[in-house]
Amino acid sequence: MRTENGQIIHLADYRQTDFVLERVDLTFELDPTETKVEARLIFHRRDGVDPAAPLVLDGDELTMTGLLFDQLELDAGRYDATPDSLTIRDLPASEPFEITITTMINPEANTQLMGLYRTNGVYCTQCEAEGFRRITYFPDRPDVLAVYTVNIIADKASCPLLLSNGNFLGGAGYGEGKHFAAWFDPHPKPSYLFALVAGDLGVVEDTFTTMSDREVTLKIYVEHGKEPRAAYAMDALKRSMKWDEEVFGREYDLDIFMIVAVSDFNMGAMENKGLNVFNDKYVLADPEIATDQDYANIEAIIAHEYFHNWTGNRVTCRDWFQLCLKEGLTVYRDHEFSADQRSRAVKRIAEVRHLKSEQFPEDAGPLAHPVRPTKYREINNFYTTTVYEKGSEVTRMIATIVGRDGFKKGMDLYFERHDGDAATIEDFVKCFEEANGVDLGQFSLWYHQAGTPLVSVSSSYDQAKGEFTLSLEQMIPPTPGQSAKEPMHIPLRFGLISADGSEATPSAISGADVTGDVLHLKQRRQTVTFSGIASRPVVSLNRSFSAPINLHFEQAPADLAHIARYDADLFARWQALNDLALPNLVAAARSARAGEPVETNAVLADTLIAIAGDETLEPAFRAQALALPSESDIARELGSNNDPDAIRAGREEVLAFVAKRGPAVFATLFERHQLQGAFTPDAAGAGHRALRNAALAYLAVADGTPARAAEAFAAADNMTDLSAALTVLAHRFPDAPETASALETFRARFADNALVIDKWFSIQSTIPGDGALARVKALMTSPHFNKSNPNRMRALVGTYAFSNPTGFNRADGEGYRFLADQIIEIDPKNPQLAARILTSMRSWRALEDVRSDHARNALRTIAAGEKLSSDVSDIVERMLKG
């Protein structure tokens, strides 16, 4: 593991490699502790490069056992080799040459899960971002593309399955007890997309016929006995392939597409060309073990990795600074796919909830960075919600600006111009400019400026003139390394709602560019006048969250209720409910902290209850409407000096007011939306279950007893209802006998299923209050817990730190000290896991003084640790400095 502080890499320093890599031939002789890797690499010197420049290749903890130049042993005076680099001198000035490197690696000991590792008897690779250099010395960067031929030799009994990228060339026996397989990928790819899997797995097979009438073989590999649980993943894959053809015109380009599910994996999944490797939690599902959210995640992530075949693989990124070019773009594509498969409004609400709870705090804290950073020390730390989710929002804004057809034209040009290329953000934006005849120069600031813009709005209406006026001002707060910001191009969808709920249509608009229902805010301050308005309208602004901004618009509760009732945009109706709720929740938190009575706005409660009972609205939307803004939403609104205990106490008072004001409605919903018949994972069924379980949560508060939740737990015939009832019991009645019984019943029933036991861990780790830490420590001694498995650590320790504000942010600081101990222990074995869990403390400066002092001390304890990885040291130093 690299333990140096890490060299800072700057975007401005980018330059091409001195040598062009023409092709790669790899031979693996697999062994648990002594795997031999032979890499045959053909290079030629790039035109114009100094003929004396050496070839410098990356490595990471490598042991070289052989080095040949054009099949002859290379003189020791011509090269320098360390575990982290290989430098070769005196190379030809122009003609191609061949370098053959032999390395020995130990997959069994690779706890970092980067490069080639072995888990549960299966050999597996993870090479993004810089894992390939842990396999062999290589120009390990995304702009080095080549075709790969791979030969795999392994024990036939333990590894009957030998897989790599591309198309299968053939295989045969290879001496006593061994066999080999050969694969060829005809599409040039960077090393981060290389994949190898070997072991003994079951398979689910199917085929897909492409739009040009080619038949593609589809295979999903899972542990033996789990094949039936891969059926939904296969269905999602086929729907993804069809959708990408219909919407983006993108056809799959190999003879076979494979997915392999493994249980030890640092990420959700990886888009390796033709051989996607997945965390098994995003492949395996049936009604007994998977919730509706699990099904939705599987659908989205299967699609995401498949869509990478064009946005990431066929067109990759020139350097890691362009990471959002593949990730943000592909998140946008998978969001659109899910919106088409399910409810577009409900999907959009879920996306924005996630963005606000995860990316907005990142943008407001010490880890803030632009969608395209200008420097990094550890690239693994930039796989962030800013790159993914905000990157997706930036892509969505381009689609909003140029329109649906214009976006399709821009994407077509992008694929045509850059297929087989390593592209940049500038390349991407230029395609939309040229395809649509627009200037996106100012808009591109979204890629370069960190921070969430704040748009402040006020309005006025002149009855005599029939004019409605909006005054808008934008401000982007300072972020680390960026104190001064330029005005952004912010596309705001809008609507003017009349008193009867109809849409008012102005006769003219002045003061801003307006295209259709999009108002383009480009200046720091703008006044927009809508003429020909017969009566004061209620303005609905930033419909469908057309721009990822904080909107400060003090609308009267009656106006927000009007939007919530009448807006044609369902997302805007949900947003109005949140805007109605947040001031009440903020006031409640402040009252609770001051020891004063908490008051709840009756308009809020009545509006929520009315929408919940409105059978003309889809159940999934009503379930989202009933979910009050979270404790983290309230903390973000407060901004600073936060007391998590007061925030929770205030929110609980508001929730109780709503629950006790509408028990009859909630009881009706609970009974009416119980589905009969076999479970189906479709969006309609998921919506009914979501609404029924939301009603159960309110009824538990109104009832004040665990009886109804205990009955729901006993009667549940699917994991969605079972885990929802268990969560209500555990969070509302943690000390009740019914809760203890349900937790033990759940554990005993699913003891042999690690993914379901992860739910058991997560439900208990998020029980609020001071008892959470003792509970987490006790669960870590459970025979079901395995600290070396990333899923177990994320489910218990990660969920506790990220999702239990009162339990983690204890006033005595013990939660922070516990996390510091865990990070220091995990880091030497799996730096990526340690760094990602550590980001749970990104908002520590927003806490009140006592807690923030404890948090600072815990971070200093981590910073003082010996031999910290560059992953963890980078995060902790930025959090202390920011």
Side-chain angles (χ1 to χ4, degrees), residues 429-642:
V429 172
K430 187 176 181 180
C431 289
F432 292 94
E433 290 183 321
E434 292 187 10
N436 293 280
V438 297
D439 181 354
L440 296 176
Q442 182 186 8
F443 175 81
S444 293
L445 288 172
W446 281 100
Y447 287 107
H448 310 310
Q449 293 189 159
T452 304
L454 171 65
V455 176
S456 299
V457 183
S458 62
S459 66
S460 62
Y461 177 66
D462 188 323
Q463 178 73 56
K465 294 182 178 180
E467 291 182 347
F468 180 72
T469 301
L470 284 179
S471 297
L472 304 99
E473 181 176 358
Q474 62 166 295
M475 187 276 290
I476 304 107
T479 53
Q482 290 186 339
S483 56
K485 307 293 177 75
E486 295 297 319
M488 309 272 255
H489 175 180
I490 301 176
L492 297 169
R493 289 196 183 278
F494 73 95
L496 304 177
I497 306 172
S498 300
D500 63 358
S502 64
E503 198 94 356
T505 304
S507 59
I509 304 173
S510 61
D513 293 333
V514 175
T515 53
D517 65 344
V518 180
L519 185 159
H520 299 273
L521 175 61
K522 296 181 179 180
Q523 300 170 23
R524 196 169 300 279
R525 296 179 185 85
Q526 283 181 248
T527 298
V528 186
T529 301
F530 302 86
S531 302
I533 305 296
S535 61
R536 188 187 77 87
V538 174
V539 63
S540 174
L541 200 59
N542 207 26
R543 280 177 163 173
S544 295
F545 211 65
S546 58
I549 61 170
N550 283 312
L551 185 64
H552 183 251
F553 189 7
E554 292 188 359
Q555 292 178 287
D559 284 353
L560 293 171
H562 193 70
I563 294 171
R565 170 174 284 190
Y566 291 115
D567 205 310
D569 184 302
L570 276 178
F571 175 87
R573 296 176 75 166
W574 171 82
Q575 184 63 62
L577 286 172
N578 270 253
D579 291 343
L580 194 60
L582 265 175
N584 198 162
L585 291 163
V586 167
R590 288 176 174 150
S591 295
R593 188 173 186 186
E596 299 170 352
V598 171
E599 296 183 2
T600 300
N601 187 329
V603 173
L604 166 63
D606 292 343
T607 304
L608 280 174
I609 293 166
I611 285 178
D614 186 350
E615 292 294 335
T616 67
L617 297 171
E618 60 178 310
F621 173 78
R622 288 184 277 161
Q624 289 281 7
L626 281 174
L628 288 177
S630 68
E631 291 167 53
S632 63
D633 290 329
I634 302 165
R636 188 177 64 250
E637 193 73 10
L638 284 165
S640 62
N641 197 28
N642 288 329

Side-chain angles (χ1 to χ4, degrees), residues 129 139-145 189-192 316-320 422:
D140 189 11
R141 42 190 279 176
D143 62 340
V144 176
L145 284 72
K189 65 173 179 286
S191 56
Y192 81 84
T316 193
C317 47
R318 187 196 70 177
D319 51 67
W320 292 122

Side-chain angles (χ1 to χ4, degrees), residues 226 229 261-263 279-285 289-290 294 298 719 746 750-762 789 791-792 795:
K226 296 181 178 179
R229 292 175 176 167
V262 296
S263 59
N279 189 319
D280 60 0
K281 71 183 292 186
Y282 297 121
V283 171
L284 302 175
I289 71 164
D294 291 329
I298 289 169
M719 180 53 68
F746 190 95
F750 299 106
D752 295 331
N753 190 306
L755 293 179
V756 182
I757 290 297
D758 281 347
K759 302 181 194 302
W760 183 73
F761 283 134
S762 293
N789 181 278
N791 282 349
R792 302 301 89 74

